Amino acid sequence: FWESESRDIQAALQAAFQRGVKVVSVQYGPNYLAIGKVFRHIVNDCVIDRHQYTLTLVVDDRKGLYMGQTPGRDWSGFWTTHPGIARLTANYIRHDIFSCKLLNRLEQQIGQEALAGELQSILDIYSD
């Protein structure tokens, strides 16, 4: 989620964490909620184009939420207990965490500028 969405879910995440629930998040933007395990997603034009105005949430790998917003319009999306969709949503988040960890390690090895130069072509599914 993005900083703008964090205000809407902060109290719920904090309450869950205080109850002993494992809270893991992928957060976009310069500011973030320091609740549980936080992975900070890189933010550049490509990432903003693909992920801005989205919120994805999974509870206990059994319930899933995906919301999106077109600027100037209301949020729309779904909340589901369908096991296949909940698993798909959880795997989407896990893959984002995998990507964050991988990019962080690559950035440490090759540098931020080199990584930024390659990111657009890596995300282009029609090339290579």
Side-chain angles (χ1 to χ4, degrees):
F1 55 85
W2 293 81
E3 182 180 357
S4 56
E5 288 79 46
S6 70
R7 292 184 289 272
D8 296 330
I9 62 175
Q10 181 174 0
L13 289 177
Q14 188 65 46
F17 186 72
Q18 289 174 345
R19 289 192 314 270
V21 173
K22 293 179 183 176
V23 175
V24 179
S25 63
V26 178
Q27 298 182 39
Y28 300 84
N31 301 312
Y32 64 98
L33 294 179
I35 301 172
K37 179 68 176 166
V38 176
F39 293 93
R40 299 186 71 185
H41 202 289
I42 62 167
V43 176
N44 60 27
D45 291 343
C46 184
V47 169
I48 290 170
D49 287 344
R50 285 178 168 75
H51 296 286
Q52 191 173 25
Y53 305 112
T54 62
L55 172 64
T56 309
L57 176 73
V58 174
V59 178
D60 294 333
D61 286 331
R62 297 181 306 147
K63 299 174 184 174
L65 169 81
Y66 182 85
M67 299 292 292
Q69 181 187 41
T70 301
R73 301 185 71 188
D74 289 335
W75 284 85
S76 63
F78 62 86
W79 173 255
T80 184
T81 57
H82 186 285
I85 302 299
R87 183 175 181 160
L88 177 70
T89 307
N91 283 338
Y92 172 81
I93 294 169
R94 281 187 187 96
H95 189 270
D96 237 11
I97 291 169
F98 164 80
S99 297
C100 288
K101 292 170 80 171
L102 181 62
L103 290 172
N104 186 348
R105 291 175 186 169
L106 283 173
E107 183 179 63
Q108 291 173 12
Q109 291 179 4
I110 67 172
Q112 187 175 14
E113 276 188 40
L115 180 61
E118 290 294 319
L119 196 54
Q120 181 65 37
S121 65
I122 290 170
L123 290 172
D124 182 354
I125 63 172
Y126 301 105
S127 67
D128 294 339

